Amino acid sequence: MSESGIRPRHTAVTGIGVVAPNGQHTETYWKAVKEGESVLDRITREGCEHLPLRVAGEVRGFDPSALIEETFLVQTDRFTHYALAAADAALQDAGLSSSAAESPYSVGVVTAAGSGGGEFGQRELQKLWGQGSRFVGPYQSIAWFYAASTGQISIRKGFKGPCGVVASDEAGGLDAVALAAQAVRRGTDVIVVGAAEAPLAPYSGVCQLGYRELSTVEDPARAYRPFTSAACGFVPAEGGAVLVVEDLDRAQRRGAAVRATVAGHAATFTGASRWDRSREGLAQAIKGALDEAGCAPQEVDVVFADAMGVPEADRAEALALADALGPHGTRVPVTAPKTGIGRSYCGAPLLDIAAAVLAMEHGQIPPTPGVFDVCHDIDLVTSTARAADLRTALILSRGLMGSNSALVLRRGPGSAV
């Protein structure tokens, strides 16, 4: 109980929806992650063949018309199509629908976005310059926008609770979940929260070439190998995940399966590509998240690493773990499933959260695909999944623009190992 006599509200994860390069359903995603599959391959998107960016994690075989009404399809970019599909899956997993909400004002939506709808925007601008202004569609003004996924999910489902968007770099994915947890603690019953990205279009690809951390290696097996002496940058990816988070007491009263609880979060900022400074910033974020969670360093059972794939960034992350967790930092199992699918910017940490929840439920730490010769003092899980009793997971994320974020998850009270 708080000093006011009011019982504090805790945030439960009750639904997960995934659209990823290695699976368009949560079950298929987990199977691929647990088995350490890598789906990195040459980019096949039209118009990208001439770019020096050769390898990425594409979501293949995704048919938005089978999942989303035409009214919404024509208004939205691919990144929102992924978000809408993942939101549907998360709500179904949580056993919720628009009609199931006590009030439309009791459900809100929060998403994160790093680049918005580049494919839609490029298509309409080509019409403008090639055919004239009359050929530009009216939805150009909204489809590219960072907030499009938040807006379209809330409109489509009739959710009128607090809504927002975190327009940030990769770490914004974790920050969005923290924002959702804050809304729940302040009285909102349910928040649909997540991030999905679609950066594999010609214009978006050209923009990414400005990142010195981007891998341009042509061999998919060698393009993304963090924590090794052969680290040469990161590989981008499409997709992401959406969660349903809600008040723990409410979830238990309605008989929902509580898959995890959001225990703590903290964020810092240390400057664009200043990986030497990210050591201190990430360590401070970890300490802040643990403090908010009331979690001792030795209680952390697994770390889902940021895994930038840049030597100085990888070194900073390994040292940050040691700084924040002490001796436990070199002993705690660390994993980076994203090496098998690429970094989907803001969607990447959401996919890590999904993997962390599933890992705690199944008692399996997934491996880090394609990484074997680790050259840092961390216990990186490689080759095959590792059985473990997982009660607490730490998820880390850093952005190219300088954000550092850490999130602590606790295993759900009803989860069985």
Side-chain angles (χ1 to χ4, degrees), residues 45 132 220 227 229 274 312 326 329 374 382 384 397:
R45 288 278 185 268
F227 302 116
S229 58
R274 294 302 303 269
E312 58 266 36
V374 179
T382 61
T384 59
S397 183

Side-chain angles (χ1 to χ4, degrees), residues 10 17 30 37 53-54 92 97 119 152 230 233 237 303 330 358 360 375:
H10 300 284
W30 171 244
E37 294 181 7
L53 173 61
R54 301 295 191 186
Q92 182 178 10
S97 64
E119 185 177 60
Q152 297 291 5
V303 175
T330 60
L358 292 159
M360 289 191 288
C375 64

Side-chain angles (χ1 to χ4, degrees), residues 56-294:
E58 289 186 11
V59 175
R60 301 175 188 268
F62 178 78
D63 181 8
S65 64
L67 302 169
I68 304 163
E69 305 89 324
E70 179 66 20
T71 302
F72 290 92
L73 283 181
V74 299
Q75 301 179 31
T76 50
D77 178 81
R78 188 191 300 265
F79 90 108
T80 299
H81 299 167
Y82 294 151
L84 290 169
D88 281 348
L91 287 162
Q92 182 178 10
D93 184 42
L96 288 174
S97 64
S98 303
S99 58
E102 295 174 8
S103 161
Y105 297 98
S106 68
V107 185
V109 182
V110 177
T111 66
S115 58
E119 185 177 60
F120 193 108
Q122 176 178 345
R123 183 172 65 245
E124 296 304 312
L125 287 175
Q126 285 176 328
K127 291 178 182 178
L128 172 65
W129 295 112
Q131 298 172 274
S133 59
R134 290 189 176 187
F135 292 87
V136 178
Y139 300 116
Q140 163 70 348
S141 61
I142 61 172
W144 69 269
F145 193 45
Y146 298 95
S149 294
T150 289
Q152 297 291 5
I153 292 170
S154 62
I155 292 168
R156 184 168 176 249
K157 295 297 183 180
F159 298 148
K160 299 181 180 181
C163 292
V165 59
V166 179
S168 181
D169 52 24
E170 294 93 316
L174 292 188
D175 297 341
V177 176
L179 187 63
Q182 288 176 4
V184 170
R185 289 197 294 269
R186 291 171 179 167
T188 303
D189 288 339
V190 179
I191 298 287
V192 179
V193 56
E197 304 269 26
L200 303 183
Y203 171 75
S204 300
V206 169
C207 290
Q208 291 170 81
L209 293 176
Y211 300 145
R212 67 179 180 85
E213 295 87 354
L214 189 75
S215 173
T216 55
V217 172
E218 297 190 16
D219 182 357
R222 298 178 180 275
Y224 186 23
R225 302 188 63 210
F227 302 116
T228 72
S229 58
C232 55
F234 74 91
V235 164
E238 299 179 306
V242 172
L243 312 173
V244 171
V245 300
E246 58 184 300
D247 173 54
L248 176 60
D249 288 344
R250 178 187 184 278
Q252 292 176 327
R253 284 197 305 271
R254 72 177 185 86
V258 176
R259 308 191 68 168
T261 57
V262 180
H265 168 269
T268 63
F269 180 80
T270 48
S273 297
R274 294 302 303 269
W275 302 119
D276 54 335
R277 294 183 180 180
S278 77
R279 171 185 177 177
E280 180 181 4
L282 188 59
Q284 288 297 320
I286 294 169
K287 292 175 182 177
L290 294 178
D291 286 346
E292 184 174 90

